[in-house]
């Protein structure tokens, strides 16, 4: 294979590598989908509404039950607004076909814009999805009252799926956040430890990446999962991590160590390094994983006065962990900052890419809406959701 193709394959293998958190999340999502489908069949809700509602499960975070609850409440809340918007449009315009088409175009445009330019993309897509489902029902040649009743089914279907997902998350994702964060930190320490402790660390070329793949994977994932767990910790100071006295400082240090470790791996920074120095760093990482932070400085020796490369910065970060303060309270500063975040991005109205892409999405969504209704082929109405879910990204990704 060409070097470029081999690099792409290596990247794909790292992306798809086993991760306990990913596996548990996928299993919970699979169970939620199965229970939702079973319950929807038992309740005999319209089958063509199943898939769009179940698609919503892919849009929410399930790192913690609270995040799942927040995401599902957003879906149901803005889905309710979408239902009311569709019914209001039909009532005001007396179900004029032109108004329905124009409504789909406007809502799809707003959905595309807010998905790209806001900090609440799930709200935008929830509103547009349920609005479309409710609006498309008024294309049927039925009396107004039965259609009005049918217009409430999309919201009922979405609510049913949300309830199933919440039950699954609270039953199977309710572990103590302290214990879960301990495992997350320990896994990352172990990946770094293996990188510095393995005899194959000094192997060059194609063999080295086998021992560094886990570090690259964790560095690519970023610290989001750990920070979500940090936000779930008790705020009264009565719980601290067995890995480190200050969980926030430890999470920041591990994130920096992973970034530096990835840079070292990419640059083959251990190939020409003193083996004794590599061994000491591996022992210091083991001490950090086993919460023996006071031994790190003794293992590494005196810190270097001149910091010249990634390995020097790596050692400096470990030294900083060794001098970390004792247990401190976990304050809700991060949550306060998050709660004050604006709804729109700073460049929402200055970046023309958002408007242009929303316009393209609106044209495409409106076109498929007109086409499948003109053909009177309701069985392909889900093509609108293909546009909506696959198109909410850059043109290249679409």
């Amino acid at each position: 294979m060409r070097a470029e193709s081999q690099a792409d394959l290596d990247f794909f293998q790292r992306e798809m590598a086993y991760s306990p958190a990913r596996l548990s999340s996928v299993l919970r999502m699979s169970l939620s989908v199965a229970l939702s489908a079973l319950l929807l069949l038992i309740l005999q809700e319209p089958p063509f509404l199943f898939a769009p509602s179940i698609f919503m499960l892919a849009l929410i975070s399930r790192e913690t039950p609270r995040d799942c609850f927040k995401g599902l409440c957003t879906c149901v809340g803005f889905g309710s607004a979408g239902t009311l918007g569709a019914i209001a449009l039909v009532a005001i315009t007396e179900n004029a076909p032109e108004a329905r088409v124009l409504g789909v175009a406007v809502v799809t445009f707003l959905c595309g814009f807010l998905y790209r330019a806001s900090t609440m993309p799930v709200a935008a897509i929830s509103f547009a999805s349920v609005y479309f489902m409710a609006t498309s029902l008024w294309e049927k040649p039925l009396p107004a009252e039965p259609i009005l009743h049918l217009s409430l089914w999309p919201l009922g279907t979405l609510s049913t799926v949300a309830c199933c997902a919440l039950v699954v998350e609270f039953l199977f994702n309710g572990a103590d956040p302290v214990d879960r964060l301990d495992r997350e930190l320990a896994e990352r320490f172990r990946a770094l430890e293996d990188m510095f402790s393995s005899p194959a660390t000094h192997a060059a070329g194609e063999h080295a990446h086998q021992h560094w793949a886990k570090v690259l994977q964790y560095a690519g994932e970023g610290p989001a999962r750990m920070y979500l767990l940090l936000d779930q910790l008790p705020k009264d100071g009565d719980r601290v991590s067995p890995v480190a006295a200050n969980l926030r400082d430890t999470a920041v240090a591990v994130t920096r160590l992973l970034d530096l470790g990835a840079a070292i791996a990419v640059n083959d920074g251990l190939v020409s390094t003193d083996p004794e120095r590599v061994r000491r760093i591996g022992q210091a990482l083991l001490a950090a994983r086993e919460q023996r932070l006071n031994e790190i400085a003794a293992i590494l020796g005196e810190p270097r006065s001149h910091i010249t490369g990634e390995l020097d910065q790596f050692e400096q970060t470990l030294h900083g962990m060794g001098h970390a303060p004792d247990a401190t309270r976990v304050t809700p500063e991060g949550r306060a900052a998050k709660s004050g975040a604006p709804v729109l991005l700073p460049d929402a109205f200055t970046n023309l890419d958002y408007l242009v892409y929303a316009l393209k999405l609106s044209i495409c969504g409106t076109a498929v809406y007109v086409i499948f209704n003109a053909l009177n082929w309701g069985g392909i109405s889900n093509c609108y959701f293909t546009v909506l879910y696959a198109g909410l990204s850059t043109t290249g990704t679409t």
Side-chain angles (χ1 to χ4, degrees), residues 207-267:
H207 298 291
H209 77 275
Q210 298 177 3
H211 307 281
W212 302 339
K214 203 68 177 177
V215 172
L216 294 173
Q217 178 189 352
Y218 281 129
E221 287 180 2
R225 193 159 65 232
M226 290 190 297
Y227 290 162
L228 283 172
L229 291 172
L230 279 169
D231 196 41
Q232 303 300 313
L233 297 178
K235 301 304 185 292
D236 55 2
D238 60 341
R239 298 294 299 275
V240 293
S241 169
V243 176
N246 192 316
L247 287 170
R248 290 174 301 161
D249 290 347
T250 303
V252 171
V254 170
T255 302
R256 178 168 174 76
L257 290 173
L258 287 169
D259 290 339
L260 292 170
I264 294 170
V266 170
N267 297 325

Side-chain angles (χ1 to χ4, degrees), residues 223-383:
R225 193 159 65 232
M226 290 190 297
Y227 290 162
L228 283 172
L229 291 172
L230 279 169
D231 196 41
Q232 303 300 313
L233 297 178
K235 301 304 185 292
D236 55 2
D238 60 341
R239 298 294 299 275
V240 293
S241 169
V243 176
N246 192 316
L247 287 170
R248 290 174 301 161
D249 290 347
T250 303
V252 171
V254 170
T255 302
R256 178 168 174 76
L257 290 173
L258 287 169
D259 290 339
L260 292 170
I264 294 170
V266 170
N267 297 325
D268 290 336
L270 296 180
V271 174
S272 58
T273 305
D274 178 15
E276 181 61 24
R277 184 184 182 187
V278 174
R279 184 188 64 80
R280 289 197 305 269
I281 294 176
Q283 290 180 343
L285 288 167
L286 175 61
R289 178 166 63 87
E290 295 179 349
Q291 56 184 308
R292 295 181 284 111
L293 301 181
N294 56 339
E295 300 180 15
I296 292 179
I299 294 173
L300 293 175
E302 291 296 325
R304 296 173 178 265
S305 56
H306 299 287
I307 308 299
T308 57
E310 288 91 356
L311 196 59
D312 294 334
Q313 298 177 47
F314 196 98
E315 281 190 327
Q316 184 186 46
T317 304
L318 280 174
H319 271 291
M321 292 186 65
H323 294 89
D326 294 334
T328 58
R329 289 178 178 268
V330 181
T331 60
E333 296 170 357
R335 178 180 295 181
K338 186 191 299 184
S339 62
V343 175
L344 294 177
L345 299 179
D347 62 342
F349 297 107
T350 58
N351 191 336
L352 291 180
D353 290 341
Y354 300 153
L355 294 174
V356 172
Y357 197 81
L359 181 61
K360 291 191 292 184
L361 196 71
S362 176
I363 294 173
C364 188
T366 307
V368 298
Y369 178 81
V370 172
I371 289 171
F372 73 72
N373 280 298
L375 296 175
N376 194 23
W377 193 1
I380 62 170
S381 61
N382 280 343
C383 61

Side-chain angles (χ1 to χ4, degrees), residues 6 41 51 55 62 73 76 80 100 108 207 221 241 256 268 307 309 364 386 392:
Q6 184 64 46
L41 288 172
F55 287 162
R62 50 185 46 82
C73 284
V76 175
S80 302
R100 292 198 301 270
T108 308
H207 298 291
E221 287 180 2
S241 169
R256 178 168 174 76
D268 290 336
I307 308 299
C364 188
T386 303
L392 293 175

